[in-house]
Amino acid sequence: MIWTFIDDNDDEFKDYQKAFRQLQIEITEKNLGQELDEVQDLREEYDKEFAKVQSDYDNQSDQVQSINDELGKLRADFYNINLKYSEQKAKLDVIKFHLESENAHHLEREIAHDSHRGADTKEKYKIKTTELNKVKLDKENLEIEITKREKILKGIKKTLKEAQDTRDKILKKVNIAENKLNVLDRSKMSFMNKVGDIVRDLPILDFMDPYYKVKQTVVKDIQYDVNFTAMPAVDRCTSCHLGITDSDFADAEQPFTTHPDLDLYLTSKSPHPEVSFGCTSCHAGRSRGTSFVSSSHTPNTPEQKHEWEEKYDWEKIHHWLQPMLPTRYTQASCFKCHTNTSDLAGAEKINLGLTLVDRSGCNGCHVSSNWPSSAKSGPDLRKLNEKSHPDWVAKWIQNPRDFRYNTRMPHIFEQANQENPKIAKRNITEIASITHYLFKDKITRKNNNPSKYLGNPANGEKLFSAIGCMGCHVSEQDPSMAPQPITFKELTKLQGPNLIGMGSKVTPEWLFNWVKNPHEYMSTTRMPNLRLSDSEARDLTAYLYDNKNYDFDQKRAPEVDKTVLNELTLDWLMKMNPEKYAIEKTSKMTEKEKMSFVGEKSIRHYGCFGCHNIDGFMDAKPIGVEITYEGSKPVDKFDFGLLHDIEHTNYAWIENKLRTPRIYDRGKESAPLDLLKMPNFHFTEEEIEAVTTAVLAFNTDKVGETLLAHNKVPAYNKEGHRLVKKYNCQGCHLIENRGGQLVEHIGAPEYGPPNLNTQGRKTNPNWLIKFFNNPMTIRPNLQVRMPSFHQISNKEWDTIIKYFQSIDNENTGYRAPHQLVTGSRKFKAGEKVHELGACNNCHFYGKTFPIQTASTWGPNLALTKERLNPEWVVDWMREPQNIMPGTKMPAPYLPTPDVLETNDAVATWGRDLVKLKGNQEAMLEGLRDYMWNIKGKVDISEEIKAYFDENGYDFSVGEDEDEDDWDDEDW
């Protein structure tokens, strides 16, 4: 029995709670000291003031006492007379009832010609009414006297209360800290409170209201499976993590330290309050555990594991399927509520992981139903013969990084399980056979008359930097200078390949045709059409073609070994047929037939079609294991092979698979066709962590509908976001405060692609879809141009537009034409504001050019009514900086009422503007209406092109910085 009591009171969490209580006392005493120091001078000042007021109040104590005595007598008299009034009124009501009854009988007698009436009752009613009114008057006089004395007393006390309230306000935090200490610190308790504080935590008695107890949160929307039954999570983490929501413990050690970013997590005001999300919804682990080991903590590093084993006797709970995630993988849990985005604020690691899954084509081989592939990650190979030659392709397949050091193309060959000389020879023949298959029955383009397609490489280099190529590409020979794909910003620079070595890879003819019209070669390409002239295309071709990889050119291309080819053919035939038939079939095949056969089998075996469109494989199924629930797969389902030096956890298996994909073949004696075949992407350690986070996010965890953030936004928000990522819109534009890195290469923001802040509210959707399908010049002073994305369908454009509208809370699908009255006072006032604002300094009016130089040019105002939403225009002109921080567009000057009241106001501002009496909203609406009525050509692309063909774009450097260069780069 005694041991039962001891064991019951020997819980690990109670030790933490006792330690935390002492820490609370220390921190509260420290806070109290700090608060006292901060208010010391003020406290003395207000204490003195309060003491003076208290003294004045005390000096009036005789008067106060006298008033209180009088109030006591008056209230007693009022009580008595109120009773008397109530009694007399009740009696009067009875007499009134009898009188009204007699009146009713009198009416009946009058009808019957009987004149007898109740005169006595009526006289009695009058007498009693007079008596009641007298009592009522006495009662009201007493009320007046009471109120008069209460006001005098309140006035005497008012100064005292104000002084006390002021002092209490200054000492609020001090009082809170003192009250908290009185509850926590037994040395500050009364004797009886000390006894109660001890007794309530004694064994058996602690069922009442113990201080040291299990603290738990039942999280009904976070569920886990118990014998095929969904049960709500019961989180007991705060039994030990006691300071988790208190910022006072930010510097405390675990388990008492504050959770990072309380504005985002756990507090009631955050988007993730503890009562709704608990702890294990993000961190996993055994929610009902109340000790360090039973909670299934997971160390983040080997060093931490060793520390925990020494300090806490930590060991893994082997049969718990959801151990706590290591700290570095906590963001995997974000995905269960946020499956609609890879741009989640504060979750950079999973954002990067999901983006890499898309960019690297992981979901081309591995089906993931909760993050499906949106497109092939590699180029279409069905017209490869027009682009490259077989030798280059074979060398590229053999070792892509020999040609481009930062290619996303993974290495299929020359991997850890292919080092055996026999296997290496087979690989060489496989490479030659794959190359043969890709070029089979196709004519390879020869490099005829290359000078026809080559222009000025120096001009081409300028174009590459200026027109927008660097929104998606780099051309960087030095690996140390190349973007590292570990942040969102750097990834936008690598949407397309690093354009080095192009002269070794393609012909000038193909390159010229590609930059002129990419969709003609590959209809599914993400590469847009920059609408280059022939001259621009030749210059750009010359610049790119100038860059060659001479070492790669000298490398010998893999060639077929006939003996190995026979062996490979036989092996593949024997996979499907008896050996005798396989031998006979092989003997009858020509060398080219064998190469085609082995090439086709090798492409299918290695899953090349997962990333590329290849003839004969358009309906092929992914070759990899499905990863929809990979994060929930039990550890014993992962094949660690013969390796025992890798920690047996799901994340360790995934990490090593990404780091060395064929590692689990080590030590095995496998047939060549049974070897592991996942290619090596040469991920960095940061990328490995990011992709592992993404894979762990693909799991069976379920949360309630109310927590699913992606259900709180329309489906088109998710689809629109993925399309924006797919086509790398953020490589050029700032969208949701992310992206826009191209501006760094161009220079000043006013010469770069516009910030798309408020785009959903800003532009008329009917105009915007026309613009997307047929871009025109909007900002005349930009050399960078909006490309044509002919591969994007109208349905996808609609989705992108709805996404823009969604993030701006704009719900208008159709807009009727804006109505205005040109003869109205508001319109005429707007015309005057426009005249005085000199808008024509910077803006086009149809084909009429602005007065100032090209560097200051803004959009064509004749386009305003078609392009912009009327409400947005008013908001924009009211305060441009609020919408586009940094814009050079000034807010128009609007005269204030005092200005419009001067003697010469009508002469200066015009009668209509004066009559608005300083109503600035009406002025802005009038200016908007005036611009809505500006006539002229709306598409001035040809006029702008002709001007810059003649004058060039050299204005972007070396100008006078003091020039009045107002610009509207954000319209």
Side-chain angles (χ1 to χ4, degrees):
M1 184 67 73
I2 293 173
W3 280 113
T4 300
F5 291 151
I6 293 173
D7 186 63
D8 181 60
N9 204 46
D10 192 32
D11 294 304
E12 184 179 315
F13 71 87
K14 291 184 178 179
D15 294 333
Y16 286 119
Q17 291 185 6
K18 290 172 184 176
F20 182 73
R21 184 173 186 174
Q22 186 58 44
L23 182 60
Q24 274 185 302
I25 292 170
E26 293 172 5
I27 289 178
T28 305
E29 287 178 339
K30 178 183 175 183
N31 290 344
L32 177 59
Q34 290 174 346
E35 293 298 335
L36 286 171
D37 289 342
E38 287 181 13
V39 301
Q40 184 63 42
D41 294 338
L42 288 172
R43 185 178 193 180
E44 291 176 1
E45 177 184 339
Y46 283 104
D47 279 347
K48 287 178 182 178
E49 179 66 24
F50 180 73
K52 179 178 179 300
V53 175
Q54 181 72 53
S55 176
D56 293 342
Y57 179 78
D58 292 341
N59 291 336
Q60 300 179 71
S61 59
D62 292 342
Q63 183 185 357
V64 171
Q65 185 60 46
S66 174
I67 293 171
N68 281 328
D69 291 344
E70 291 176 8
L71 278 172
K73 184 177 181 306
L74 288 168
R75 285 167 179 157
D77 291 344
F78 179 81
Y79 177 78
N80 290 329
I81 203 165
N82 192 49
L83 283 177
K84 184 179 179 180
Y85 174 80
S86 299
E87 180 184 358
Q88 289 189 6
K89 188 174 186 306
K91 290 178 179 179
L92 182 65
D93 288 342
V94 172
I95 295 170
K96 181 181 179 184
F97 172 75
H98 288 304
L99 178 61
E100 289 175 346
S101 297
E102 289 176 2
N103 289 340
H105 290 308
H106 171 69
L107 289 172
E108 291 175 0
R109 283 195 295 270
E110 278 188 345
I111 294 170
H113 305 286
D114 183 354
S115 60
H116 178 74
R117 300 185 61 178
D120 292 342
T121 305
K122 190 171 184 179
E123 185 64 27
K124 188 177 181 180
Y125 178 74
K126 288 181 179 179
I127 294 169
K128 292 297 181 182
T129 300
T130 302
E131 291 175 356
L132 182 65
N133 287 338
K134 185 177 181 303
V135 173
K136 181 181 179 184
L137 183 62
D138 293 341
K139 175 174 170 279
E140 289 173 349
N141 287 335
L142 282 172
E143 286 178 332
I144 291 169
E145 292 299 319
I146 289 170
T147 302
K148 189 184 298 182
R149 283 160 178 76
E150 284 177 341
K151 281 185 176 179
I152 295 170
L153 197 62
K154 186 176 181 181
I156 294 171
K157 291 181 177 180
K158 181 180 179 183
T159 306
L160 177 66
K161 186 176 187 307
E162 287 176 349
Q164 186 174 6
D165 288 346
T166 303
R167 187 188 67 167
D168 289 345
K169 185 176 181 181
I170 295 297
L171 300 178
K172 180 180 178 181
K173 292 183 179 179
V174 172
N175 294 334
I176 290 172
E178 287 178 339
N179 293 337
K180 190 173 182 180
L181 274 177
N182 291 337
V183 174
L184 289 170
D185 192 350
R186 285 178 181 167
S187 67
K188 298 185 183 300
M189 295 180 185
S190 66
F191 175 74
M192 291 307 296
N193 283 344
K194 286 181 183 178
V195 173
D197 192 61
I198 294 170
V199 169
R200 69 178 184 170
D201 284 304
L202 292 176
I204 298 180
L205 298 179
D206 64 359
F207 74 91
M208 293 184 291
D209 183 27
Y211 185 89
Y212 305 114
K213 60 186 176 183
V214 171
K215 300 178 186 294
Q216 68 180 27
T217 303
V218 179
V219 192
K220 62 183 180 64
D221 287 321
I222 305 295
Q223 300 181 338
Y224 66 100
D225 184 78
V226 179
N227 296 327
F228 307 105
T229 301
M231 299 292 293
V234 179
D235 276 1
R236 294 175 175 169
C237 309
T238 52
S239 297
C240 299
H241 293 278
L242 295 150
I244 201 75
T245 60
D246 191 337
S247 58
D248 283 345
F249 296 88
D251 296 326
E253 295 183 355
Q254 287 287 19
F256 308 133
T257 190
T258 308
H259 194 286
D261 200 353
L262 290 180
D263 290 335
L264 188 59
Y265 303 107
L266 296 183
T267 58
S268 58
K269 294 182 179 179
S270 74
H272 307 89
E274 182 193 356
V275 68
S276 301
F277 289 85
C279 301
T280 54
S281 63
C282 295
H283 294 277
R286 185 169 173 266
S287 62
R288 295 172 187 254
T290 56
S291 70
F292 190 82
V293 175
S294 68
S295 299
S296 193
H297 284 84
T298 300
N300 195 46
T301 63
E303 293 76 21
Q304 190 175 59
K305 178 182 177 182
H306 178 72
E307 177 191 350
W308 286 5
E309 289 171 342
E310 294 290 323
K311 191 174 181 179
Y312 306 110
D313 293 326
W314 177 85
E315 60 182 358
K316 188 198 299 187
I317 301 180
H318 289 284
H319 301 294
W320 186 254
L321 296 179
Q322 288 186 313
M324 197 174 296
L325 289 166
T327 307
R328 65 186 185 277
Y329 292 130
T330 305
Q331 287 182 22
S333 296
C334 301
F335 190 75
K336 67 182 71 172
C337 298
H338 299 273
T339 64
N340 64 323
T341 180
S342 57
D343 270 349
L344 184 61
E348 295 303 320
K349 188 173 289 185
I350 192 169
N351 290 343
L352 175 60
L354 292 170
T355 303
L356 287 171
V357 166
D358 277 341
R359 294 280 185 92
S360 303
C362 306
N363 41 18
C365 286
H366 301 280
V367 171
S368 177
S369 60
N370 43 21
W371 195 255
S373 173
S374 58
K376 302 283 189 183
S377 62
D380 193 320
L381 301 184
R382 289 174 293 180
K383 294 182 179 179
L384 185 60
N385 60 301
E386 298 179 15
K387 176 180 181 180
S388 295
H389 47 88
D391 281 359
W392 183 91
V393 171
K395 291 185 286 187
W396 167 260
I397 294 172
Q398 183 178 19
N399 192 327
R401 290 192 171 228
D402 271 359
F403 179 76
R404 184 184 297 133
Y405 60 85
N406 60 348
T407 179
R408 287 201 306 270
M409 166 79 173
H411 285 220
I412 297 173
F413 301 103
E414 299 184 356
Q415 296 305 299
N417 63 348
Q418 297 171 330
E419 294 172 349
N420 181 295
K422 182 180 178 181
I423 299 297
K425 289 180 69 175
R426 289 172 63 98
N427 291 160
I428 293 296
T429 297
E430 285 176 319
I431 293 167
S433 299
I434 291 171
T435 304
H436 171 78
Y437 181 89
L438 294 174
F439 285 85
K440 185 179 69 169
D441 300 327
K442 296 176 181 177
I443 299 172
T444 304
R445 291 275 181 94
K446 294 184 179 180
N447 194 2
N448 295 323
N449 193 16
S451 59
K452 176 182 176 182
Y453 305 100
L454 298 174
N456 186 324
N459 289 342
E461 184 175 9
K462 291 178 183 177
L463 283 170
F464 184 80
S465 301
I467 62 174
C469 305
M470 298 186 77
C472 296
H473 296 279
V474 296
S475 180
E476 181 54 65
Q477 206 76 39
D478 184 355
S480 66
M481 300 295 291
Q484 298 302 310
I486 56 175
T487 65
F488 175 82
K489 178 181 176 181
E490 298 297 279
L491 276 168
T492 62
K493 300 176 183 180
L494 298 171
Q495 165 80 353
N498 182 1
L499 298 178
I500 56 174
M502 296 301 290
S504 299
K505 177 181 179 180
V506 299
T507 65
E509 180 183 3
W510 182 89
L511 190 52
F512 172 86
N513 290 329
W514 171 256
V515 297
K516 276 282 289 181
N517 188 359
H519 314 104
E520 187 175 333
Y521 172 78
M522 188 195 307
S523 60
T524 58
T525 183
R526 300 179 194 182
M527 167 87 171
N529 188 334
L530 285 164
R531 303 185 304 282
L532 299 173
S533 66
D534 285 352
S535 175
E536 290 173 325
R538 281 192 293 270
D539 290 347
L540 194 55
T541 298
Y543 167 65
L544 295 174
Y545 191 75
D546 243 11
N547 193 307
K548 295 180 172 62
N549 188 329
Y550 295 104
D551 291 338
F552 190 82
D553 290 342
Q554 298 302 314
K555 183 180 175 182
R556 184 177 177 182
E559 297 177 355
V560 167
D561 182 306
K562 294 182 180 180
T563 303
V564 176
L565 180 63
N566 284 333
E567 181 183 327
L568 280 164
T569 306
L570 188 60
D571 280 356
W572 278 115
L573 286 171
M574 288 172 60
K575 278 273 185 182
M576 304 171 286
N577 303 284
E579 182 177 353
K580 180 179 179 181
Y581 174 84
I583 294 171
E584 181 180 350
K585 175 72 173 175
T586 301
S587 66
K588 294 179 179 179
M589 295 172 70
T590 65
E591 182 177 333
K592 286 190 176 180
E593 287 174 338
K594 292 175 185 175
M595 290 178 69
S596 297
F597 176 74
V598 171
E600 185 269 336
K601 291 296 182 183
S602 298
I603 290 170
R604 193 174 300 279
H605 179 66
Y606 293 111
C608 309
F609 54 84
C611 294
H612 303 279
N613 285 326
I614 301 174
D615 287 325
F617 294 90
M618 298 306 294
D619 297 322
K621 304 300 180 184
I623 67 167
V625 64
E626 183 175 352
I627 58 172
T628 300
Y629 303 118
E630 192 76 359
S632 293
K633 184 192 289 187
V635 175
D636 58 6
K637 300 295 183 183
F638 288 93
D639 182 7
F640 285 83
L642 306 177
L643 301 178
H644 300 287
D645 55 345
I646 294 176
E647 184 181 6
H648 276 44
T649 60
N650 57 355
Y651 57 86
W653 189 93
I654 297 167
E655 287 171 350
N656 282 280
K657 184 71 173 177
L658 294 171
R659 189 177 291 115
T660 311
R662 317 283 176 86
I663 191 171
Y664 300 114
D665 264 347
R666 192 174 295 170
K668 289 185 178 181
E669 297 294 333
S670 302
L673 296 181
D674 295 331
L675 293 171
L676 294 175
K677 54 198 176 189
M678 177 171 156
N680 192 339
F681 290 85
H682 294 282
F683 288 130
T684 65
E685 288 303 307
E686 290 91 343
E687 291 173 311
I688 289 170
E689 271 195 20
V691 176
T692 301
T693 303
V695 175
L696 291 173
F698 303 152
N699 55 51
T700 59
D701 291 357
K702 298 291 186 292
V703 298
E705 289 290 322
T706 58
L707 301 187
L708 295 176
H710 59 269
N711 282 351
K712 298 176 183 177
V713 295
Y716 55 71
N717 191 290
K718 172 181 179 178
E719 293 306 313
H721 165 77
R722 289 199 75 180
L723 286 168
V724 164
K725 291 282 293 260
K726 175 180 177 179
Y727 293 106
N728 201 39
C729 304
Q730 288 164 300
C732 293
H733 299 283
L734 195 68
I735 301 174
E736 294 194 89
N737 295 317
R738 291 170 68 90
Q741 54 83 17
L742 181 60
V743 174
E744 296 175 4
H745 303 290
I746 290 176
E750 59 264 30
Y751 301 125
N755 177 344
L756 297 188
N757 181 29
T758 73
Q759 189 68 30
R761 283 198 306 113
K762 172 181 177 179
T763 46
N764 186 320
N766 299 322
W767 176 88
L768 191 54
I769 195 166
K770 293 176 184 175
F771 173 76
F772 283 150
N773 282 314
N774 187 21
M776 59 190 285
T777 298
I778 304 297
R779 297 164 183 82
N781 64 340
L782 304 189
Q783 186 173 14
V784 63
R785 61 191 65 171
M786 171 70 181
S788 299
F789 287 89
H790 297 307
Q791 65 273 56
I792 300 181
S793 66
N794 278 342
K795 181 179 179 181
E796 288 178 321
W797 281 131
D798 278 335
T799 302
I800 291 172
I801 292 170
K802 287 179 180 178
Y803 163 65
F804 286 148
Q805 291 179 319
S806 174
I807 59 181
D808 286 332
N809 297 314
E810 172 70 28
N811 300 314
T812 305
Y814 168 77
R815 285 184 172 272
H818 174 60
Q819 302 297 319
L820 56 95
V821 179
T822 56
S824 68
R825 176 175 298 151
K826 186 168 67 173
F827 181 91
K828 292 178 179 178
E831 183 177 7
K832 189 65 176 177
V833 172
H834 167 268
E835 175 192 331
L836 296 170
C839 304
N840 60 343
N841 277 346
C842 301
H843 290 282
F844 281 78
Y845 290 67
K847 293 194 290 184
T848 302
F849 277 56
I851 295 172
Q852 293 188 0
T853 59
S855 63
T856 68
W857 287 354
N860 177 10
L861 295 186
L863 181 59
T864 304
K865 59 182 173 293
E866 290 189 17
R867 176 170 168 253
L868 302 175
N869 290 329
E871 299 86 355
W872 183 89
V873 173
V874 173
D875 291 341
W876 166 254
M877 291 189 298
R878 184 185 297 112
E879 188 51 71
Q881 291 293 335
N882 285 350
I883 293 178
M884 300 290 174
T887 179
K888 289 186 177 180
M889 166 72 182
Y893 176 74
L894 304 175
T896 53
D898 59 316
V899 172
L900 296 174
E901 290 172 358
T902 59
N903 294 332
D904 61 346
V906 172
T908 304
W909 301 102
R911 188 174 304 278
D912 296 292
L913 195 53
V914 170
K915 285 188 176 182
L916 289 182
K917 298 179 180 180
N919 184 339
Q920 297 198 348
E921 194 69 16
M923 294 180 199
L924 291 172
E925 290 175 359
L927 178 56
R928 181 268 319 276
D929 289 352
Y930 178 80
M931 289 193 298
W932 232 254
N933 200 46
I934 291 173
K935 306 293 193 296
K937 185 178 181 182
V938 295
D939 185 357
I940 55 173
S941 303
E942 292 179 1
E943 287 77 5
I944 300 301
K945 183 178 184 301
Y947 175 89
F948 285 114
D949 283 348
E950 180 179 347
N951 297 283
Y953 283 89
D954 292 338
F955 60 80
S956 61
V957 292
E959 286 198 322
D960 183 0
E961 293 183 0
D962 295 327
E963 182 180 72
D964 185 8
D965 57 348
W966 291 347
D967 184 40
D968 177 15
E969 74 280 0
D970 296 309
W971 268 43

